Amino acid sequence: MSGAADREAVFPTRQSLGLMKAKLKGAETGHSLLKRKSEALTKRFREITRRIDEAKRKMGRVMQIASLSLAEVTYAVGGNIGFQIQESARAARFRIRTKQENVSGVLLPTFESYLTEGNNDFAMTGLGKGGQQVQRCRDTYARAVEALVELASLQTAFVILDEVIKVVNRRVNAIEHVIIPRTENTIKYINSELDELDREEFYRLKKVAGKKLRDNAALDAEMKLKREEKAARELAEGQPEVQEDASGPSDLLAAEEDEDVIF
Amino acid sequence: MASQADYKDRQFLAVIGDEDSVTGLLLAGIGHVTAPPDSQKNFLVVDAKTDNATIEAVFEQFTTERKDIGIVLINQHIADRIRHRVDTYTAAFPALLEIPSKDHPYDPEKDSVLRRVRRLFGE
């Protein structure tokens, strides 16, 4: 029956049956735990994807406003300041740091933006004219970058969660479709083999009992035959020792005299 | 999986974009140039004359070589020029973000991450 099916290579003994049953139980517990983990992660994942969608749209608007303010600067300064700014960039004022967040045992990094104090590469920009517009533009862009950083952390979480969920689901499926059926098959196989052994044992016992019965019958017949022969002989000879046997116990009390027993 | 060491040093943003986008982002203060011997900028200005090989090289440098960049911002129309590279980039660090530019309005259909989002939800 289960000979052809997928099963583990074990000897069909009671011990391995116990082991397999323990394994099946373990696999079922693991399956339910992983399933719950996967569900928790998926819930989080859906939330993040929804927020990404929103954040991407928001980013589109914010960047539009920011470009508009840059256009104002260009107009106010009366020329393109791009080259000057690219040349004067030295050290980043706007930096990010990463933190970790734990979701069902998965570490999700999140970015956090911060401004370093006391370095300003663009102190000279807009010194002649348009300083106010430059300042406003910087603020607008700083806000835009903050939105971008937030979006980036969502996106990183999305990428990592995606990967983790795939791994967890693969495990859930492996347990559900490979490990549990295989263990069940093994248990079935062991059970059938043990039953087979039981039947063999029973048959053997029956055989032994039959043989004993036959032997006893043969022995009885032999004894009977012997006794009959004996009786026939005695009958022919006249009664010899049989009398002695019969008088033995009755004579015990009425006996002549007991010999003294010396200890 | 990303380990602790993989991202604790990442503190800069990088930009690949047209002149206006880069200028604006630099004004916000994200520009950084490393120490003089090999002063590497964390931004690239792309115009009509920049060829795709340069963009790809810089993209490669920002995403795989430099270990101090946490987020790479790239203009969507420039991402389109090296779309195959952007779409095959799936690592968590640095995060790759497509941003709109002034001349090219933002199209959510082209974004590699948003497309993955949509595919996952079967839309």
Side-chain angles (χ1 to χ4, degrees), chain A residues 42-226:
Chain A
T42 310
K43 180 171 170 281
R44 182 62 183 242
F45 188 66
R46 285 183 177 269
E47 187 192 317
I48 283 178
T49 44
R50 194 173 41 78
R51 275 166 60 191
I52 282 186
D53 214 28
E54 279 170 21
K56 285 257 176 191
R57 285 168 212 289
K58 181 182 157 202
M59 173 191 79
R61 289 196 303 275
V62 170
M63 291 303 284
Q64 209 174 0
I65 295 168
S67 341
L68 194 69
S69 77
L70 185 66
E72 268 176 37
V73 170
T74 315
Y75 179 71
V77 173
N80 205 335
I81 59 167
F83 185 74
Q84 185 198 349
I85 282 172
Q86 282 161 37
E87 286 308 306
S88 58
R90 282 287 163 269
R93 189 171 68 99
F94 197 102
R95 298 185 186 197
I96 49 177
R97 71 165 78 89
T98 49
K99 284 195 307 183
Q100 282 180 326
E101 198 184 349
N102 195 338
V103 180
S104 326
V106 182
L107 292 177
L108 292 180
T110 49
F111 294 113
E112 193 181 66
S113 55
Y114 68 101
L115 292 171
T116 51
E117 295 302 322
N119 77 28
N120 189 353
D121 292 338
F122 312 115
M124 299 300 167
T125 310
L127 198 61
K129 50 181 175 174
Q132 205 180 0
Q133 276 84 355
V134 169
Q135 191 56 43
R136 202 184 307 144
C137 178
R138 286 178 60 171
D139 292 345
T140 320
Y141 263 100
R143 273 204 300 280
V145 175
E146 267 166 31
L148 291 178
V149 168
E150 191 190 330
L151 180 55
S153 50
L154 282 177
Q155 195 176 305
T156 313
F158 169 81
V159 172
I160 289 178
L161 266 185
D162 187 27
E163 202 175 303
V164 171
I165 286 176
K166 267 186 207 152
V167 170
V168 170
N169 280 345
R170 203 148 49 216
R171 280 190 196 145
V172 169
N173 288 338
I175 289 180
E176 191 176 335
H177 297 295
V178 177
I179 294 179
I180 288 183
R182 174 186 285 191
T183 316
E184 277 171 350
N185 268 342
T186 314
I187 288 175
K188 247 189 242 163
Y189 161 73
I190 293 175
N191 271 334
S192 74
E193 289 290 301
L194 285 179
D195 283 355
E196 182 69 31
L197 282 179
D198 271 356
R199 278 195 294 277
E200 251 169 46
E201 181 73 10
F202 186 62
Y203 183 69
R204 198 174 63 84
L205 286 178
K206 250 167 66 180
K207 274 283 197 200
V208 168
K211 177 91 165 71
K212 259 188 186 158
L213 213 66
R214 269 200 318 274
D215 282 1
N216 279 344
L219 216 64
D220 280 355
E222 208 179 313
M223 295 268 280
K224 206 176 168 190
L225 207 69
K226 264 189 191 162

Side-chain angles (χ1 to χ4, degrees), chain B residues 44-113:
Chain B
L44 173 74
V45 177
V46 176
D47 53 27
K49 289 187 294 247
T50 317
D51 55 0
N52 290 356
T54 317
I55 303 175
E56 274 186 38
V58 172
F59 181 75
E60 187 72 27
Q61 188 200 349
F62 286 167
T63 51
T64 54
E65 282 166 34
R66 288 187 62 166
K67 299 293 175 205
D68 56 349
I69 291 176
I71 304 174
V72 177
L73 305 171
I74 183 165
N75 270 147
Q76 197 172 35
H77 69 279
I78 294 164
D80 281 341
R81 285 171 64 177
I82 53 165
R83 181 50 70 189
H84 59 288
R85 297 295 301 272
V86 175
D87 279 351
T88 49
Y89 178 80
T90 51
F93 286 101
L96 180 68
L97 216 56
E98 291 180 28
I99 56 172
S101 63
K102 199 172 71 177
D103 311 325
H104 301 78
Y106 186 67
D107 180 8
E109 297 308 314
K110 281 185 184 161
D111 192 297
S112 58
V113 172

